[in-house]
Amino acid sequence: MQGSLGVRSRAPSASLRVLFPRQLTARARWLQGGGGRTGASEEDEAAVPYVDVPRPGRKWERKPYVTPMKVLIRRAKEERQARRENPCRVLEHPPDNGLVVPHLVDVARRVHAAREGLLGGLTRLVEGEGAIPVKRCRFCPEVHIGRVGHEIRTCEGRNSGARNSLHVWRPGTVRDVVGFPYCYHLFDRVGKPRVVHKEKYDVPRLPAILELCIQAGVDVQRYPTKRRTRPVYSIEGRIVDFEPDDEAAGTLPEPPACTPSLSTAAPTIISSTSPDVSEEEEKEEITVTELASRTLQSWLDMRSGAARLMKKYSVHTCGYCPEVQVGPKGHKVRMCRATKHQQRDGQHAWQEATVDDLVPPNYVWHVVDPAGDEAPPLANELKRYYGKAPAVVELCVQAGAPVPAEYRSMMRLDVVPPARDEYDLVA
């Protein structure tokens, strides 16, 4: 009797397991002994790039660390040991020494130009003639690109239980398609890297992607910054600047206090200079398909350029809320209202940020036939057959732009969803 109780058969549970194509490819690679990457495996991954949309984390869980904690602890110990051995030293590598990285200045300018081109193209696609309809839920931040809002029950806003988690759609704008998180502007990135709680109304806020470009070498008249010509010293962990103020190139006075109009007008600015007549004629003659392709390329260039800048210029995000701060350290303004903020006295739990934290992709459901007037809305029963893509990509694809290779698997272009009366017949 004891022997029969100690042995438990696992055959029924194993027989019910279903392996998807990506799991079959991974298992076959493991059975062949391919623990590492081989040429055949790389060709298979290039032919079938299975990439799923990352699942959003739970509200009470912290975001995963980009760099493992063991590596961060080891770096901190090495820096502390180097500070003990040499308490007075000159910081050699930019941007830690107060200087800009020379080969990243052009990258920052291209990112800044791509951001302006993205905003200009989205404005014409959403608000111009033959605009692509954009819908936004009234009670949650859900966005849909299409003539009719979908019927997928994913609303978590106010009174969602009474509506059976259905969305209440209303017309959307460009800010619903792409949104840039704001951060505090640092006049002196090295001399004063943090903004304290008392300065939260005195320091202006601007989009974090724009602050990253400014710190990388882009000069914006509205947001002055200090440019050094000599590296700074580190004396027992404190930054000391021996450069005279009259020899500092590009040194500007302290920035004025921020006004409410700064934060509201910044996202709608497309270009700081007036275009020529030839550029205006070119914009008028361009087709919708070409405009969508250029806008999508600006989106891709901005994200790739921002990823390059973030390898040198540190960007921090809160582990529990979407707050972002560009600089060597996070600010100390007590305005976090996420999980466990009482234990931190409202301060943010800063950690290393990713490109998705700096430029949120804002995933939306992919519509296969957006031009069909009689096309039914996306059904909740068939949501596992629908793909997703960033809102900018979905908008540009519906306007005629080609689908980028890295988003083909997310949009599930090779999947044909069944009809509403046939979904229960599909295995």
Side-chain angles (χ1 to χ4, degrees), residues 357-372:
D357 297 323
L358 189 68
V359 185
N362 193 10
Y363 293 101
V364 298
W365 295 96
H366 172 59
V367 181
V368 180
D369 188 12

Side-chain angles (χ1 to χ4, degrees), residues 171-182:
T173 59
V174 178
R175 296 185 180 182
D176 301 324
V177 178
V178 57
F180 299 101
Y182 278 69

Side-chain angles (χ1 to χ4, degrees), residues 181-194:
Y182 278 69
C183 71
Y184 287 99
H185 174 57
L186 299 180
F187 172 73
D188 190 356
R189 183 181 184 274
V190 177
K192 190 177 181 182
R194 277 189 171 179

Side-chain angles (χ1 to χ4, degrees), residues 34-49:
R37 290 180 175 269
T38 59
S41 62
E42 291 180 358
E43 293 178 358
D44 294 340
E45 292 180 358
V48 186

Side-chain angles (χ1 to χ4, degrees), residues 185 187 201-204 221-224 253-259 262:
H185 174 57
F187 172 73
Y201 296 119
D202 299 333
V203 181
Q221 186 177 3
R222 296 179 58 186
Y223 303 102
E254 290 289 338
C258 64
T259 57
L262 292 178

